[in-house]
Amino acid sequence: MTTRRPRGPYAKTAAKRQEILDAALAAYAEAGSRGVSVRDIAQRVGLTDAGVLHHFGSREALLTAVVEARDTAASEAYSPETVLWRTELLAQNAATPGLVKLFLDIAAASADPEHPGHAFFTERYRGLRLQIAELLAGGPPPELGSEEPVADVDADWAARILLAATDGIQLQWLLEPTIDMARDIGRLRDVLLAALDRRPEPERPRQSAPEPRRQSVPRSDSAADAEPEAGGAASA
């Protein structure tokens, strides 16, 4: 049994929609810290602003679809196992700050149940939590056994991670109010403290044995009285 491909107006609409998404992804990837307008996207596909929004219903729905497309592209390129155990791949996000900013903007806005991205982000975090928990429980794959573990734990790093988790857990709580934010952050704090306590102490330089202290010889009152005169004579 073969699957029929969309034909007629629906096929053209689906193709144009995908073209718009591809153009929007490229625009945000190239934007850096500069924002991207609907007009920027429209010019790339030869449509008016209204023509672009016609395919999505609203600007918020368009931007949510862009974020979903970004997630889909990432999941097709990298499996959850790859992202978890090869964390250097996340560094590629630094090359597209425009897409990172868009993701954060839409994620924050999606806390509103009426936002087009609310269901997407709620299911996204729920699904990722289950996937990552399963992967962590199973441990790293054998082929990564020879890699050195990341062990450079210090107080500055722990503070950065704790702040990142505190900000992120608030977003997840807005999407899923059953999450106990205070308990989760408290547990993370304790894990970080334990990691800091397990750090090897820095090797201290060996100190040479101290020289024996010279015994002072008690002096008579007459010798002590004569001392200022000797000092005065020397300075003269």
Side-chain angles (χ1 to χ4, degrees):
M1 183 177 178
T2 58
T3 303
R4 284 188 173 184
R5 293 184 178 181
R7 294 181 179 179
Y10 178 80
K12 292 180 180 179
T13 299
K16 179 56 73 173
R17 181 185 170 95
Q18 186 60 51
E19 183 185 354
I20 294 170
L21 288 176
D22 292 341
L25 283 168
Y28 276 100
E30 299 165 8
S33 57
R34 181 182 64 82
V36 174
S37 67
V38 175
R39 179 165 298 179
D40 293 332
I41 300 170
Q43 289 176 345
R44 289 175 178 249
V45 293
L47 293 175
T48 63
D49 298 9
V52 167
L53 297 181
H54 167 74
H55 291 275
F56 296 90
S58 68
R59 180 178 180 275
E60 291 74 19
L62 164 64
L63 298 183
T64 298
V66 174
V67 171
E68 290 187 44
R70 174 184 182 253
D71 247 34
T72 300
S75 63
E76 289 174 352
Y78 311 115
S79 66
E81 295 90 340
T82 304
V83 175
L84 180 61
W85 302 117
R86 299 280 189 183
T87 54
E88 68 272 13
L89 294 174
L90 294 176
Q92 295 182 7
N93 285 351
T96 56
L99 282 172
V100 173
K101 184 178 184 302
L102 173 66
F103 176 87
L104 295 174
D105 289 345
I106 300 303
S110 71
D112 181 354
E114 301 299 318
H115 191 277
H118 183 79
F120 166 73
F121 275 96
T122 301
E123 291 304 317
R124 178 184 186 275
Y125 283 118
R126 187 176 295 154
L128 285 175
R129 284 196 301 268
L130 291 173
Q131 282 184 335
I132 294 171
E134 184 178 349
L135 291 170
L136 289 172
E143 60 268 23
L144 295 184
S146 60
E147 288 199 353
E148 280 197 34
V150 178
D152 51 340
V153 176
D154 58 28
D156 288 340
W157 175 85
R160 185 168 70 250
I161 295 305
L162 194 58
L163 283 172
T166 301
D167 289 347
I169 199 68
Q170 292 179 83
L171 172 59
Q172 292 191 49
W173 172 78
L174 285 172
L175 293 166
E176 195 165 334
T178 56
I179 290 174
D180 189 337
M181 291 189 294
R183 186 168 182 267
D184 284 353
I185 293 302
R187 292 169 72 184
L188 175 61
R189 175 205 60 213
D190 294 344
V191 168
L192 293 173
L193 284 172
L196 290 172
D197 288 342
R198 287 197 299 268
R199 287 181 304 168
E201 292 189 7
E203 198 172 321
R204 296 179 180 178
R206 298 181 62 182
Q207 296 182 349
S208 56
E211 294 184 5
R213 295 182 63 183
R214 304 175 70 180
Q215 297 286 338
S216 58
V217 180
R219 293 177 297 175
S220 64
D221 292 342
S222 59
D225 292 338
E227 205 169 53
E229 292 183 3
S235 59

